[in-house]
Amino acid sequence: MLDDYLQQWTALQTVRASNLRLDEVFLAYLSIGGASDEVDVTGYLTGLVMIPALERDQVAQAINELLDVTGSLVDGAHYSTDDITAGSGYGEYLRTLVLTPDGYAFNVPPIGDASTSSSTPHALQGAHDAGVDTAAADDIEFRRCHALYESGLIEAGSEARFDRITAQVRDHFGVSSASIALITEDSQIIKSVIGPIGQNLPRDLSLCSRTIEKDRTLVITDASTDPTYRDHPLVAGGPEVRFYAGHPVSTASGWRIGTLCLIDDRPRAFTEDDEQDLRTFAARVQAEMWVSPLH
C-alpha cells in the first residue's frame, strides 16, 4: 500500500506539471462520485490536509481522466494499492516509484514536465556529481540558488506548517533536534528547527551542505569516530554533534535546495526503515514547499 503522503505527492506533482486547474479536478472528481467537498479536495491538492484513501484514489482517477482527455504526456497520479491501480485503467500512465538504495526519487519531475529536457537541473547536477569544469559548476550553482530564491521560502521566514513537520520528525525518531535547512550560495538558513541544535551557519560549516551534494540520505551514526567528520568544528567543538541524518529536499523542477535533518549529541543507530521514514517525511516537506506559491 502506498504511503498517504507519497500518494499526495504524486497528485501534487502531476497537477503542477500538467497545469491542471484545481476547480476542474474537483468537478471531475464529483462526476465520478467523490464525496468530499471542494475545500477538502483543494486542501489535499495544495498539501494542506490529508483525505481518506477512497477519496485520494478518486482524486487520482479524476486527474488521470483529465490527462487522458487532454492528451497530456505527464505521468499520472498514483493510487493507494496495486489492485486499485490495476482496475483504474490508467496503470500504464504511471511511472514506477522505484525503491533504490537511496529510496524514492522524490526530486525527479514527471515525464512530460518541461524540466526533463537535456538542460534540466538533473542533467546538470549529474554532470556536477561526475565532475565538470568550473564554469559549468558555477552555472549549476547559480541556477540552484535562483530556484531557492524564486521559491520565496527564505523571505517567508519561519512557518507553522513546517514547524509541525519538524516537531513530528523529532518525536518520531526521539532525537534532540530536527530541522529544515535551506542552502544558499554561502550560508545555511534554518527554515524550521525543533530542539536545541540548529542555527544559521556559513555554508562551509554546514553538514546539510554535504547532504545536498547527492540525491541520497546522509547518515553519520557517530561523528566523533568518523574519519570524514571527527575534526569538523560542529563535532570537535560547538554543539559536539555526534549523530546526523539528513535527506535533500528539492524544488518541483528538481533543484536540491535544502534538507530535512536529524541531529543528536549522542551516537545513534539508524536502520534502513529509519532511512525510509526520513525520506517519507522529506516528501512531506517537499509537498509543502511546492504548494507555497498557491497560498
Side-chain angles (χ1 to χ4, degrees):
M1 186 168 184
L2 190 63
D3 176 87
D4 299 2
Y5 291 98
L6 288 177
Q7 185 180 8
Q8 183 181 38
W9 173 74
T10 71
L12 286 167
Q13 186 185 53
T14 301
V15 167
R16 282 185 170 275
S18 60
N19 292 316
L20 289 175
R21 297 197 322 270
L22 299 187
D23 60 340
E24 65 184 349
V25 174
F26 178 68
L27 290 175
Y29 162 81
L30 284 183
S31 73
I32 59 175
S36 292
D37 62 24
E38 187 170 8
V39 172
D40 283 343
V41 172
T42 301
Y44 173 69
L45 291 173
T46 52
L48 299 175
V49 298
M50 182 56 65
I51 57 178
L54 174 61
E55 307 307 315
R56 295 197 305 273
D57 288 332
Q58 288 179 314
V59 169
Q61 185 71 10
I63 291 170
N64 293 335
E65 287 185 1
L66 288 171
L67 296 180
D68 192 25
V69 168
T70 60
S72 173
L73 298 179
V74 172
D75 287 319
H78 282 254
Y79 301 90
S80 60
T81 69
D82 290 341
D83 287 343
I84 295 173
T85 299
S88 69
Y90 293 102
E92 65 187 72
Y93 291 85
L94 310 182
R95 65 170 170 172
T96 302
L97 293 177
V98 179
L99 272 175
T100 69
D102 290 334
Y104 285 101
F106 293 132
N107 67 333
V108 178
I111 294 172
D113 188 341
S115 65
T116 57
S117 68
S118 60
S119 61
T120 66
H122 303 291
L124 290 168
Q125 287 182 329
H128 185 231
D129 292 341
V132 296
D133 62 45
T134 301
D138 289 346
D139 184 52
I140 291 165
E141 180 62 7
F142 175 82
R143 296 188 190 190
R144 189 194 67 81
C145 291
H146 178 74
L148 169 59
Y149 293 128
E150 193 176 46
S151 73
L153 292 165
I154 293 177
E155 291 83 352
S158 62
E159 297 180 72
R161 60 196 180 111
F162 292 110
D163 291 341
R164 284 192 290 270
I165 298 175
T166 48
Q168 291 171 9
V169 168
R170 187 181 74 160
D171 290 346
H172 178 83
F173 291 101
V175 294
S176 62
S177 298
S179 64
I180 298 167
L182 303 173
I183 306 300
T184 73
E185 65 273 23
D186 56 10
S187 301
Q188 167 183 285
I189 305 297
I190 296 299
K191 178 68 175 176
S192 173
V193 60
I194 304 295
I197 306 175
Q199 59 185 322
N200 296 342
L201 291 168
R203 181 171 175 173
D204 59 0
L205 293 182
S206 167
L207 292 173
C208 291
S209 70
R210 302 285 187 90
T211 303
I212 69 165
E213 292 173 358
K214 297 181 181 179
D215 182 27
R216 52 82 172 94
T217 305
L218 175 61
V219 179
I220 309 168
T221 55
D222 186 353
S224 68
T225 62
D226 189 305
T228 302
Y229 297 101
R230 63 191 176 194
D231 296 325
H232 191 283
L234 297 180
V235 177
E240 296 187 347
V241 171
R242 292 296 175 263
F243 169 81
Y244 173 93
H247 192 82
V249 293
S250 304
T251 65
S253 56
W255 293 105
R256 294 191 289 270
I257 59 171
T259 68
L260 172 66
C261 72
L262 316 172
I263 298 178
D264 213 326
D265 55 8
R266 296 179 295 114
R268 302 179 61 92
F270 206 65
T271 67
E272 290 184 5
D273 287 343
D274 289 331
E275 288 192 32
Q276 182 57 53
D277 287 347
L278 181 58
R279 290 190 286 266
T280 299
F281 279 115
R284 291 179 56 189
V285 173
Q286 286 191 164
E288 288 292 343
M289 288 179 170
W290 294 1
V291 302
S292 59
L294 300 179
H295 288 171

